[in-house]
């Protein structure tokens, strides 16, 4: 089992940048594929980005491709989401999630979730 804690959210102007971190505790972090998801008010939770266990493969939603970068440091049990060129429509609660082995984009296939971190982008 793994416990996840996000940090790094906040308020930023459009065009600005933020970096989210997700610290994991528990065993065998390097065995978990990691994902970032977000949920805006009144909307369903949606996939943002994901990274394979070793970090060699990354996946992005079309809406963030070229602006966001997911990375991980297995020595520090941490996954990151660097968000550049932020837009007001990126405003949401951002969640990190973990699942053993294979990366997927489906929210329902991640059993472990953090508590979320609010990101607000002003216009």
């Amino acid at each position: 089992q793994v416990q996840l804690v996000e940090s790094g959210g906040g308020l930023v102007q459009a065009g600005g940048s933020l970096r989210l971190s997700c610290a994991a505790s528990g065993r065998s972090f390097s065995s978990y594929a990691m994902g970032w998801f977000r949920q805006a008010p009144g909307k369903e939770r949606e996939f943002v980005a994901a990274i394979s266990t070793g970090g060699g493969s990354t996946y992005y939603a079309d809406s963030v491709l070229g602006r966001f970068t997911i990375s991980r440091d297995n020595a520090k049990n941490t996954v990151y989401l660097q968000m550049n060129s932020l837009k007001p429509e990126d405003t949401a609660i951002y969640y990190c999630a973990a699942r053993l082995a294979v990366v997927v984009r489906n929210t329902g296939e991640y059993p472990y979730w953090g508590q979320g971190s609010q990101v607000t982008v002003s216009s």
Side-chain angles (χ1 to χ4, degrees):
Q1 196 167 2
V2 62
Q3 294 80 42
L4 305 172
V5 178
E6 300 97 336
S7 61
L11 173 64
V12 65
Q13 289 188 332
S17 298
L18 283 174
R19 189 177 81 156
L20 301 180
S21 300
C22 174
S25 60
R27 301 172 67 178
S28 303
F29 174 72
S30 60
S31 298
Y32 290 86
M34 300 297 297
W36 284 98
F37 297 80
R38 66 187 182 186
Q39 188 166 18
K43 296 187 176 182
E44 292 187 352
R45 193 170 298 187
E46 64 176 4
F47 170 78
V48 175
I51 189 167
S52 60
T53 56
S57 297
T58 56
Y59 307 85
Y60 297 94
D62 289 344
S63 58
V64 307
L65 188 63
R67 300 188 298 122
F68 290 11
T69 302
I70 188 171
S71 61
R72 66 190 295 163
D73 186 337
N74 284 346
K76 296 182 177 180
N77 284 10
T78 302
V79 63
Y80 305 97
L81 186 68
Q82 178 66 45
M83 304 183 293
N84 298 330
S85 302
L86 282 161
K87 305 175 181 180
E89 51 263 44
D90 294 318
T91 295
I93 299 174
Y94 283 71
Y95 299 88
C96 69
R99 72 185 307 271
L100 284 171
V102 180
V103 175
V104 297
R105 297 174 181 245
N106 298 329
T107 305
E109 296 196 39
Y110 283 81
Y112 306 110
W113 291 83
Q115 83 288 352
S117 182
Q118 178 70 49
V119 171
T120 303
V121 184
S122 63
S123 57

